[in-house]
Amino acid sequence: MKPLINSVTLNRSQEEVFDYLCDLKNELEWNPDMLIAEQLTEGPVGEGTRILCQWKGGPKMVCTYTKFERPGYWEAFAASKMMDIAFTCKVEPAEGGTRITASLTLLPKGLLWLIGPLIRMSFQKEEEKNMDKLRKAVNNLGS
C-alpha cells in the first residue's frame, strides 16, 4: 500500500524534536487516541527498543525500532494480528526550527486487505490532525 506522508515544521531544535518524537510514550501527552505506550526493553529509546502500544479502535501492537540515527532519522515496525505498520521519520533543520517528515505504510492482513484503501483514507485524515496536535505540543514544550 502507498505510504502516507505528512510534514510539519516545529519551532524547536533538531535534537529537542528528535528526542521528544522518537519516544512513543510522549505521544500519550498530545494524542488522545493513544491508549497505551509501555516500553518493554531497558534503557533509552534506540535501535532494538520495543514498545507495547495501542491506539483507540485498534489492537495492541509491539513497535520495534529498527533503525535509529539521532538526531535525524528513525524507523520502526509495529506488528499485530490485524495489521502491520512501517514507520519512518526524518528530522531536519529548517527555516523557523525543525521539519519532520513522517511516513506511515499500512499493511492490513486477511480480509482487511480488501478495505485497505478505506483504512488508508481514514488514517490520512487522522495523521493530518495529528500533525497539528504535535506542532502545538512541541512548540509549547517547557512553556
Side-chain angles (χ1 to χ4, degrees):
M1 187 176 297
K2 183 178 169 184
L4 303 169
I5 299 173
N6 290 285
S7 294
V8 66
T9 299
L10 307 167
N11 68 5
R12 297 289 178 173
S13 72
Q14 182 181 15
E15 291 78 10
E16 285 178 290
V17 169
F18 186 92
D19 292 343
Y20 184 78
L21 291 181
C22 74
D23 190 341
L24 266 176
K25 296 182 302 293
N26 290 327
E27 189 169 336
L28 290 165
E29 296 175 8
W30 57 268
N31 186 351
D33 292 335
M34 177 70 135
L35 303 175
I36 298 171
E38 178 184 323
Q39 190 164 327
L40 303 174
T41 51
E42 296 292 320
V45 173
E47 191 167 326
T49 297
R50 295 172 55 237
I51 297 180
L52 175 67
C53 44
Q54 183 178 21
W55 289 266
K56 195 182 297 181
K60 290 182 180 177
M61 307 179 89
V62 174
C63 179
T64 303
Y65 293 77
T66 56
K67 192 169 188 177
F68 198 83
E69 299 172 357
R70 184 182 188 276
Y73 182 81
W74 80 90
E75 295 178 2
F77 188 81
S80 78
K81 292 180 182 180
M82 296 172 56
M83 180 184 321
D84 293 342
I85 299 174
F87 179 81
T88 66
C89 189
K90 187 186 287 188
V91 182
E92 304 172 290
E95 187 173 326
T98 300
R99 182 140 190 96
I100 65 159
T101 303
S103 172
L104 191 71
T105 303
L106 306 173
L107 305 162
K109 296 178 180 177
L111 293 177
L112 279 182
W113 187 257
L114 297 173
I115 60 168
L118 295 175
I119 294 170
R120 185 182 184 284
M121 193 169 25
S122 172
F123 266 74
Q124 180 62 47
K125 288 178 185 175
E126 284 305 309
E127 285 304 301
E128 289 169 5
K129 291 177 193 173
N130 283 343
M131 288 294 118
D132 189 52
K133 292 177 203 171
L134 175 62
R135 182 184 49 75
K136 290 174 183 170
V138 171
N139 289 346
N140 289 322
L141 282 176
S143 297

